[in-house]
Amino acid sequence: MLEVRALTTAYQGLTAISDVSLDVREGEIVLVAGANGAGKSTLLKSITGMERAQAGTVSFLGARIERMPAHRITAAGIAFVPENRRLFPRLSVRDTLRLGSYLHRRDPQRDAPLGVVFDIFPRLAERLDQRAETLSGGEQQMLAIGRALMTRPRLLLLDEPSQGIMPKLVSEILGAVEKIRAGGVSIILVEQRIKQSIKVSDRYYLLKNGAVVSSGSADNMEGSGDLEAAYLS
Ligand code: ATP
């Protein structure tokens, strides 16, 4: 469903990702791993129109999207949960989720995905009137993912969802990722906690200095030296 080809993005002339190609098939969880500064966030931002790639193409469900503005990419079915979650601190859980469905504001069924969100994150349903800033780190991550699901994506991009979260909640978040996939949403998962996240993934891409240095099925990565290489680099 997603075909990234030879994507290159630079900041003020400094190349952050170079010649990156990646595929996501329907129903897959694809792990993008790599050390700090490897270019993982830049790759996600270049796919979602938050950064403009200098070269390369991105096709989604058969349409070219690399020149589309971010809001149109969201409307096309790609939702992005950025690294720092980007929640409005004073907004309640209810209003944050409602903001996610703004795209469907003229649809009487605008809030239909709420059922799915509450099924995956029952805790959000218990905290509808709580302000985002008063939620725990894990709950804020759930809210950011919930908001993304309200856009009704076909593909969800998650940038380090386990960052700043208690170890106990990490497996809960990864379990949620599996549930979201079971609901028909494909996923690109950027993670540094490779050992845990490779278990829920189908395939992986390993980035180093802005380039893909290895890729393959998750089973292969678990048993190979790539894992070690990713930690050491
Ligand atoms: P991390 O795991 O630390 O988030 P990452 O793999 O997501 O890292 P990126 O954030 O994509 O890596 O950064 C890739 C490179 O691009 C780094 O060298 C970084 O300093 C640089 N970079 C990222 N964002 C910008 C920016 N807005 N302006 C200039 N350089 C940037």
Side-chain angles (χ1 to χ4, degrees), residues 12 32 35 52 68 82 90 115 118 149-150 174 177 182 193-194:
Q12 291 105 38
V32 174
R52 203 43 82 209
M68 273 188 193
R90 300 281 171 84
F118 294 157
L149 290 177
M150 294 300 288
L174 290 175
V177 169
R193 298 191 198 230
I194 303 178

Side-chain angles (χ1 to χ4, degrees), residues 137-197:
E139 289 162 356
Q140 288 189 19
Q141 189 62 54
M142 293 174 193
L143 181 55
I145 298 173
R147 178 180 60 182
L149 290 177
M150 294 300 288
T151 67
R152 303 185 200 170
R154 299 277 306 275
L155 175 66
L156 181 64
L157 273 46
L158 299 172
D159 197 350
E160 295 198 36
S162 80
Q163 203 184 43
I165 286 180
M166 293 195 315
K168 201 182 81 189
L169 273 182
V170 173
S171 48
E172 201 175 318
I173 293 282
L174 290 175
V177 169
E178 287 186 293
K179 269 193 187 172
I180 293 166
R181 184 259 295 276
V185 181
S186 310
I187 291 161
I188 299 182
L189 177 63
V190 161
E191 262 301 336
Q192 302 229 28
R193 298 191 198 230
I194 303 178
K195 275 190 178 153
Q196 270 174 293
S197 40

Side-chain angles (χ1 to χ4, degrees), residues 7 56 60 101 112 115 124 126 130 147 169 189 199 221 232:
L7 208 61
F60 180 60
S101 60
L124 292 181
E126 296 161 12
Q130 201 170 323
R147 178 180 60 182
L169 273 182
L189 177 63
K199 289 190 168 57
M221 190 191 196
L232 292 175

Side-chain angles (χ1 to χ4, degrees), residues 11-12 14-17 34-43 45 51 83 159-160 163 190 192 207:
Y11 299 105
Q12 291 105 38
L14 287 175
T15 305
I17 57 167
N36 286 327
K40 307 180 296 296
S41 301
T42 302
L43 173 61
K45 287 179 191 165
E51 292 291 348
E83 197 168 7
D159 197 350
E160 295 198 36
Q163 203 184 43
V190 161
Q192 302 229 28
L207 284 184

